[in-house]
Amino acid sequence: MSEAKIRQPRLLGGRTRAVGGGGPQAAEDAGKRSKRLSSRGHAPLLAIGARPRADLLPAEVLVDRRERRVVRRLWAGVGVVAAVVAIGVGGASLAASGAATDLANAEGQTASLLQQQSQYTDVRTTEASTSLLEAGQEVGGSTEIAWGPYLRTVRASLPKGVVINGVSVDSASAIAPYAQSAIPLQGQRVATLTLDAVSTTLPSVPAWLDSVKALTGYVDATVNSVTLDDTGTRYTVNMTIHINEDAFDGKYDQKKGD
């Protein structure tokens, strides 16, 4: 009985067909034939001899399981988002805390510097006063001419035997422009030097006019008069020399530059 092959009937397309042999190979062949018939439009075959399987759970239980899986995934996503937000908030808090610390340190340094500066208030006031004084000197001395050295240069330009007897100086000031001549073709000037020179002989006026042209700031020169005194022994020459801004000594500018 154990060696005999038991033939079991199988339904195939509405007819009964005997299939010999059992076991896994027979079940596999039956499954393949069932698939081929299903693809051709036939009803699926009933596989006899396969492992019986049955799902006795209601459909509501399966739906509930699927919904629970979806809910778990949603909650996992919410947890990930919450973790990212928490990390971002923590990083922002750390950055804000660091910025606040840096600001506090900077404010402390500023307060310390201001406190140190307050110790030198008198020095800063003195420096400001000194700067104001230097600016006043620069403005006030901007029109200054060193007349001592300049007159020595004028004396050196006189012909031999001529002596300066009188000098009159009219120069510009720092608060008002110097009055210019109304005579056309006369150059701009900042000072006028009028000389009275005495000589026992009649001086050569053209030679003297040529010699004063070498003076610094020379604009022009005019001999106003040549007179002989009552004794007939001395000649007096009255000369006017106009001088421009090149004669300014600029000593305060030079001091500021140093």
Side-chain angles (χ1 to χ4, degrees):
M1 184 68 182
S2 60
E3 294 178 356
K5 294 182 179 180
I6 300 175
R7 296 179 179 274
Q8 297 178 354
R10 173 172 296 182
L11 296 178
L12 180 58
R15 295 177 300 175
T16 303
R17 181 180 178 185
V19 180
Q25 184 65 33
E28 183 179 355
D29 294 340
K32 291 181 179 180
R33 285 193 297 270
S34 178
K35 290 181 180 180
R36 287 197 299 268
L37 292 176
S38 296
S39 64
R40 295 176 183 176
H42 296 280
L45 296 176
L46 177 61
I48 299 175
R51 179 178 296 178
R53 299 178 65 181
D55 190 355
L56 302 179
L57 293 175
E60 292 80 1
V61 175
L62 298 177
V63 172
D64 182 66
R65 288 180 178 178
R66 286 195 296 269
E67 291 179 351
R68 287 184 179 181
R69 286 196 297 269
V70 172
V71 171
R72 285 196 297 270
R73 292 175 182 174
L74 291 176
W75 278 111
V78 172
V80 172
V81 172
V84 172
V85 171
I87 293 173
V89 171
S93 299
L94 291 176
S97 177
T101 302
D102 294 340
L103 178 60
N105 293 334
E107 290 177 348
Q109 293 178 358
T110 302
S112 177
L113 291 175
L114 292 175
Q115 185 178 3
Q116 293 177 8
Q117 288 181 356
S118 63
Q119 299 176 1
Y120 304 98
T121 303
D122 296 338
V123 177
R124 296 178 61 185
T125 303
T126 303
E127 290 179 351
S129 301
T130 303
S131 299
L132 181 61
L133 178 61
E134 290 178 352
Q137 288 179 340
E138 181 180 355
V139 174
S142 61
T143 59
E144 185 174 341
I145 299 175
W147 287 113
Y150 199 88
L151 291 176
R152 286 195 292 270
T153 304
V154 173
R155 186 182 298 111
S157 68
L158 297 177
K160 185 178 180 180
V162 178
V163 179
I164 296 177
N165 190 33
V167 176
S168 175
V169 175
D170 181 23
S171 61
S173 68
I175 59 176
Y178 189 74
Q180 303 298 315
S181 174
I183 301 175
L185 302 181
Q186 287 195 355
Q188 296 289 321
R189 75 286 304 271
V190 297
T192 299
L193 181 62
T194 303
L195 302 174
D196 286 330
V198 178
S199 174
T200 56
T201 61
L202 182 63
S204 176
V205 174
W208 191 7
L209 292 176
D210 289 337
S211 64
V212 297
K213 290 181 180 179
L215 296 174
T216 302
Y218 172 85
V219 176
D220 56 48
T222 304
V223 175
N224 301 317
S225 63
V226 178
T227 59
L228 182 63
D229 65 358
D230 296 337
T231 63
T233 58
R234 293 193 312 172
Y235 292 91
T236 301
V237 179
N238 181 267
M239 175 182 287
T240 299
I241 302 174
H242 293 133
I243 304 167
N244 61 23
E245 64 273 6
D246 293 339
F248 291 154
D249 55 16
K251 61 181 179 180
Y252 294 108
D253 293 340
Q254 183 66 29
K255 181 179 179 182
K256 185 178 180 180
D258 293 341

PDB file of all heavy atoms in Angstrom, residues 115-136:
ATOM      1  N   GLN A 115      37.157 105.301  30.894  1.00  0.00           N
ATOM      2  CA  GLN A 115      37.657 105.631  32.231  1.00  0.00           C
ATOM      3  C   GLN A 115      39.125 106.036  32.184  1.00  0.00           C
ATOM      4  O   GLN A 115      39.552 106.974  32.873  1.00  0.00           O
ATOM      5  CB  GLN A 115      37.455 104.427  33.161  1.00  0.00           C
ATOM      6  CG  GLN A 115      37.845 104.706  34.613  1.00  0.00           C
ATOM      7  CD  GLN A 115      37.591 103.507  35.504  1.00  0.00           C
ATOM      8  OE1 GLN A 115      37.181 102.449  35.018  1.00  0.00           O
ATOM      9  NE2 GLN A 115      37.822 103.664  36.800  1.00  0.00           N
ATOM     10  N   GLN A 116      39.903 105.349  31.360  1.00  0.00           N
ATOM     11  CA  GLN A 116      41.316 105.710  31.237  1.00  0.00           C
ATOM     12  C   GLN A 116      41.482 107.078  30.569  1.00  0.00           C
ATOM     13  O   GLN A 116      42.357 107.859  30.945  1.00  0.00           O
ATOM     14  CB  GLN A 116      42.049 104.639  30.432  1.00  0.00           C
ATOM     15  CG  GLN A 116      42.131 103.292  31.146  1.00  0.00           C
ATOM     16  CD  GLN A 116      42.798 102.240  30.292  1.00  0.00           C
ATOM     17  OE1 GLN A 116      43.331 102.542  29.231  1.00  0.00           O
ATOM     18  NE2 GLN A 116      42.775 100.991  30.754  1.00  0.00           N
ATOM     19  N   GLN A 117      40.619 107.360  29.561  1.00  0.00           N
ATOM     20  CA  GLN A 117      40.713 108.663  28.897  1.00  0.00           C
ATOM     21  C   GLN A 117      40.366 109.800  29.843  1.00  0.00           C
ATOM     22  O   GLN A 117      40.906 110.906  29.714  1.00  0.00           O
ATOM     23  CB  GLN A 117      39.775 108.682  27.688  1.00  0.00           C
ATOM     24  CG  GLN A 117      40.261 107.824  26.521  1.00  0.00           C
ATOM     25  CD  GLN A 117      39.318 107.897  25.340  1.00  0.00           C
ATOM     26  OE1 GLN A 117      38.264 108.525  25.408  1.00  0.00           O
ATOM     27  NE2 GLN A 117      39.688 107.234  24.262  1.00  0.00           N
ATOM     28  N   SER A 118      39.435 109.548  30.753  1.00  0.00           N
ATOM     29  CA  SER A 118      39.046 110.618  31.677  1.00  0.00           C
ATOM     30  C   SER A 118      40.206 111.055  32.566  1.00  0.00           C
ATOM     31  O   SER A 118      40.205 112.174  33.094  1.00  0.00           O
ATOM     32  CB  SER A 118      37.870 110.144  32.546  1.00  0.00           C
ATOM     33  OG  SER A 118      38.259 109.031  33.346  1.00  0.00           O
ATOM     34  N   GLN A 119      41.210 110.199  32.718  1.00  0.00           N
ATOM     35  CA  GLN A 119      42.364 110.564  33.536  1.00  0.00           C
ATOM     36  C   GLN A 119      43.262 111.592  32.837  1.00  0.00           C
ATOM     37  O   GLN A 119      44.084 112.232  33.483  1.00  0.00           O
ATOM     38  CB  GLN A 119      43.175 109.306  33.864  1.00  0.00           C
ATOM     39  CG  GLN A 119      42.391 108.259  34.655  1.00  0.00           C
ATOM     40  CD  GLN A 119      43.185 106.991  34.880  1.00  0.00           C
ATOM     41  OE1 GLN A 119      44.336 106.899  34.467  1.00  0.00           O
ATOM     42  NE2 GLN A 119      42.576 106.014  35.549  1.00  0.00           N
ATOM     43  N   TYR A 120      43.100 111.704  31.515  1.00  0.00           N
ATOM     44  CA  TYR A 120      43.965 112.613  30.737  1.00  0.00           C
ATOM     45  C   TYR A 120      43.163 113.766  30.143  1.00  0.00           C
ATOM     46  O   TYR A 120      43.496 114.283  29.072  1.00  0.00           O
ATOM     47  CB  TYR A 120      44.664 111.837  29.622  1.00  0.00           C
ATOM     48  CG  TYR A 120      45.459 110.647  30.120  1.00  0.00           C
ATOM     49  CD1 TYR A 120      44.934 109.364  30.075  1.00  0.00           C
ATOM     50  CD2 TYR A 120      46.734 110.817  30.653  1.00  0.00           C
ATOM     51  CE1 TYR A 120      45.646 108.269  30.543  1.00  0.00           C
ATOM     52  CE2 TYR A 120      47.462 109.731  31.118  1.00  0.00           C
ATOM     53  CZ  TYR A 120      46.908 108.462  31.063  1.00  0.00           C
ATOM     54  OH  TYR A 120      47.621 107.382  31.512  1.00  0.00           O
ATOM     55  N   THR A 121      42.104 114.157  30.834  1.00  0.00           N
ATOM     56  CA  THR A 121      41.279 115.253  30.333  1.00  0.00           C
ATOM     57  C   THR A 121      42.075 116.549  30.247  1.00  0.00           C
ATOM     58  O   THR A 121      41.967 117.303  29.264  1.00  0.00           O
ATOM     59  CB  THR A 121      40.055 115.443  31.244  1.00  0.00           C
ATOM     60  OG1 THR A 121      39.331 114.211  31.318  1.00  0.00           O
ATOM     61  CG2 THR A 121      39.155 116.540  30.718  1.00  0.00           C
ATOM     62  N   ASP A 122      42.881 116.818  31.256  1.00  0.00           N
ATOM     63  CA  ASP A 122      43.670 118.053  31.258  1.00  0.00           C
ATOM     64  C   ASP A 122      44.666 118.061  30.103  1.00  0.00           C
ATOM     65  O   ASP A 122      44.878 119.100  29.456  1.00  0.00           O
ATOM     66  CB  ASP A 122      44.410 118.196  32.591  1.00  0.00           C
ATOM     67  CG  ASP A 122      43.452 118.357  33.770  1.00  0.00           C
ATOM     68  OD1 ASP A 122      42.294 118.763  33.524  1.00  0.00           O
ATOM     69  OD2 ASP A 122      43.851 118.070  34.915  1.00  0.00           O
ATOM     70  N   VAL A 123      45.257 116.910  29.852  1.00  0.00           N
ATOM     71  CA  VAL A 123      46.222 116.834  28.750  1.00  0.00           C
ATOM     72  C   VAL A 123      45.536 117.092  27.416  1.00  0.00           C
ATOM     73  O   VAL A 123      46.059 117.836  26.559  1.00  0.00           O
ATOM     74  CB  VAL A 123      46.912 115.457  28.751  1.00  0.00           C
ATOM     75  CG1 VAL A 123      47.863 115.333  27.565  1.00  0.00           C
ATOM     76  CG2 VAL A 123      47.673 115.244  30.048  1.00  0.00           C
ATOM     77  N   ARG A 124      44.366 116.486  27.233  1.00  0.00           N
ATOM     78  CA  ARG A 124      43.643 116.696  25.980  1.00  0.00           C
ATOM     79  C   ARG A 124      43.212 118.146  25.830  1.00  0.00           C
ATOM     80  O   ARG A 124      43.245 118.706  24.725  1.00  0.00           O
ATOM     81  CB  ARG A 124      42.420 115.782  25.952  1.00  0.00           C
ATOM     82  CG  ARG A 124      42.772 114.294  25.937  1.00  0.00           C
ATOM     83  CD  ARG A 124      41.546 113.429  25.959  1.00  0.00           C
ATOM     84  NE  ARG A 124      40.719 113.657  24.800  1.00  0.00           N
ATOM     85  CZ  ARG A 124      39.518 113.085  24.605  1.00  0.00           C
ATOM     86  NH1 ARG A 124      39.026 112.286  25.550  1.00  0.00           N
ATOM     87  NH2 ARG A 124      38.832 113.312  23.521  1.00  0.00           N
ATOM     88  N   THR A 125      42.817 118.787  26.926  1.00  0.00           N
ATOM     89  CA  THR A 125      42.443 120.200  26.868  1.00  0.00           C
ATOM     90  C   THR A 125      43.646 121.059  26.486  1.00  0.00           C
ATOM     91  O   THR A 125      43.539 121.986  25.666  1.00  0.00           O
ATOM     92  CB  THR A 125      41.878 120.651  28.225  1.00  0.00           C
ATOM     93  OG1 THR A 125      40.755 119.826  28.565  1.00  0.00           O
ATOM     94  CG2 THR A 125      41.451 122.098  28.171  1.00  0.00           C
ATOM     95  N   THR A 126      44.803 120.730  27.064  1.00  0.00           N
ATOM     96  CA  THR A 126      46.022 121.473  26.727  1.00  0.00           C
ATOM     97  C   THR A 126      46.404 121.281  25.269  1.00  0.00           C
ATOM     98  O   THR A 126      46.807 122.229  24.581  1.00  0.00           O
ATOM     99  CB  THR A 126      47.174 121.013  27.638  1.00  0.00           C
ATOM    100  OG1 THR A 126      46.788 121.195  29.008  1.00  0.00           O
ATOM    101  CG2 THR A 126      48.439 121.803  27.350  1.00  0.00           C
ATOM    102  N   GLU A 127      46.266 120.043  24.785  1.00  0.00           N
ATOM    103  CA  GLU A 127      46.575 119.795  23.382  1.00  0.00           C
ATOM    104  C   GLU A 127      45.649 120.580  22.458  1.00  0.00           C
ATOM    105  O   GLU A 127      46.085 121.132  21.440  1.00  0.00           O
ATOM    106  CB  GLU A 127      46.460 118.294  23.093  1.00  0.00           C
ATOM    107  CG  GLU A 127      47.559 117.459  23.725  1.00  0.00           C
ATOM    108  CD  GLU A 127      47.386 115.983  23.420  1.00  0.00           C
ATOM    109  OE1 GLU A 127      46.312 115.623  22.873  1.00  0.00           O
ATOM    110  OE2 GLU A 127      48.314 115.206  23.713  1.00  0.00           O
ATOM    111  N   ALA A 128      44.355 120.635  22.820  1.00  0.00           N
ATOM    112  CA  ALA A 128      43.410 121.395  22.006  1.00  0.00           C
ATOM    113  C   ALA A 128      43.756 122.877  22.011  1.00  0.00           C
ATOM    114  O   ALA A 128      43.706 123.552  20.970  1.00  0.00           O
ATOM    115  CB  ALA A 128      41.984 121.166  22.507  1.00  0.00           C
ATOM    116  N   SER A 129      44.142 123.392  23.178  1.00  0.00           N
ATOM    117  CA  SER A 129      44.512 124.800  23.263  1.00  0.00           C
ATOM    118  C   SER A 129      45.775 125.080  22.464  1.00  0.00           C
ATOM    119  O   SER A 129      45.895 126.113  21.783  1.00  0.00           O
ATOM    120  CB  SER A 129      44.723 125.196  24.724  1.00  0.00           C
ATOM    121  OG  SER A 129      43.542 124.979  25.483  1.00  0.00           O
ATOM    122  N   THR A 130      46.724 124.138  22.524  1.00  0.00           N
ATOM    123  CA  THR A 130      47.962 124.303  21.756  1.00  0.00           C
ATOM    124  C   THR A 130      47.681 124.300  20.267  1.00  0.00           C
ATOM    125  O   THR A 130      48.243 125.104  19.499  1.00  0.00           O
ATOM    126  CB  THR A 130      48.948 123.183  22.117  1.00  0.00           C
ATOM    127  OG1 THR A 130      49.193 123.212  23.520  1.00  0.00           O
ATOM    128  CG2 THR A 130      50.252 123.359  21.373  1.00  0.00           C
ATOM    129  N   SER A 131      46.804 123.384  19.833  1.00  0.00           N
ATOM    130  CA  SER A 131      46.454 123.337  18.407  1.00  0.00           C
ATOM    131  C   SER A 131      45.782 124.624  17.967  1.00  0.00           C
ATOM    132  O   SER A 131      46.052 125.146  16.868  1.00  0.00           O
ATOM    133  CB  SER A 131      45.533 122.141  18.146  1.00  0.00           C
ATOM    134  OG  SER A 131      46.164 120.921  18.485  1.00  0.00           O
ATOM    135  N   LEU A 132      44.911 125.163  18.836  1.00  0.00           N
ATOM    136  CA  LEU A 132      44.252 126.425  18.499  1.00  0.00           C
ATOM    137  C   LEU A 132      45.261 127.556  18.430  1.00  0.00           C
ATOM    138  O   LEU A 132      45.199 128.417  17.530  1.00  0.00           O
ATOM    139  CB  LEU A 132      43.176 126.722  19.551  1.00  0.00           C
ATOM    140  CG  LEU A 132      42.365 128.008  19.335  1.00  0.00           C
ATOM    141  CD1 LEU A 132      41.615 127.941  18.017  1.00  0.00           C
ATOM    142  CD2 LEU A 132      41.399 128.219  20.498  1.00  0.00           C
ATOM    143  N   LEU A 133      46.226 127.565  19.342  1.00  0.00           N
ATOM    144  CA  LEU A 133      47.253 128.604  19.330  1.00  0.00           C
ATOM    145  C   LEU A 133      48.111 128.511  18.073  1.00  0.00           C
ATOM    146  O   LEU A 133      48.426 129.527  17.442  1.00  0.00           O
ATOM    147  CB  LEU A 133      48.122 128.475  20.575  1.00  0.00           C
ATOM    148  CG  LEU A 133      49.285 129.474  20.705  1.00  0.00           C
ATOM    149  CD1 LEU A 133      48.758 130.896  20.745  1.00  0.00           C
ATOM    150  CD2 LEU A 133      50.115 129.169  21.952  1.00  0.00           C
ATOM    151  N   GLU A 134      48.460 127.274  17.689  1.00  0.00           N
ATOM    152  CA  GLU A 134      49.268 127.108  16.476  1.00  0.00           C
ATOM    153  C   GLU A 134      48.490 127.541  15.237  1.00  0.00           C
ATOM    154  O   GLU A 134      49.064 128.154  14.324  1.00  0.00           O
ATOM    155  CB  GLU A 134      49.681 125.640  16.347  1.00  0.00           C
ATOM    156  CG  GLU A 134      50.699 125.198  17.390  1.00  0.00           C
ATOM    157  CD  GLU A 134      51.043 123.728  17.267  1.00  0.00           C
ATOM    158  OE1 GLU A 134      50.366 123.042  16.455  1.00  0.00           O
ATOM    159  OE2 GLU A 134      51.959 123.259  17.957  1.00  0.00           O
ATOM    160  N   ALA A 135      47.187 127.232  15.217  1.00  0.00           N
ATOM    161  CA  ALA A 135      46.381 127.678  14.079  1.00  0.00           C
ATOM    162  C   ALA A 135      46.305 129.200  14.027  1.00  0.00           C
ATOM    163  O   ALA A 135      46.382 129.813  12.947  1.00  0.00           O
ATOM    164  CB  ALA A 135      44.978 127.074  14.173  1.00  0.00           C
ATOM    165  N   GLY A 136      46.166 129.830  15.216  1.00  0.00           N
ATOM    166  CA  GLY A 136      46.161 131.298  15.241  1.00  0.00           C
ATOM    167  C   GLY A 136      47.480 131.899  14.797  1.00  0.00           C
ATOM    168  O   GLY A 136      47.507 132.904  14.073  1.00  0.00           O
TER     169      GLY A 136
END
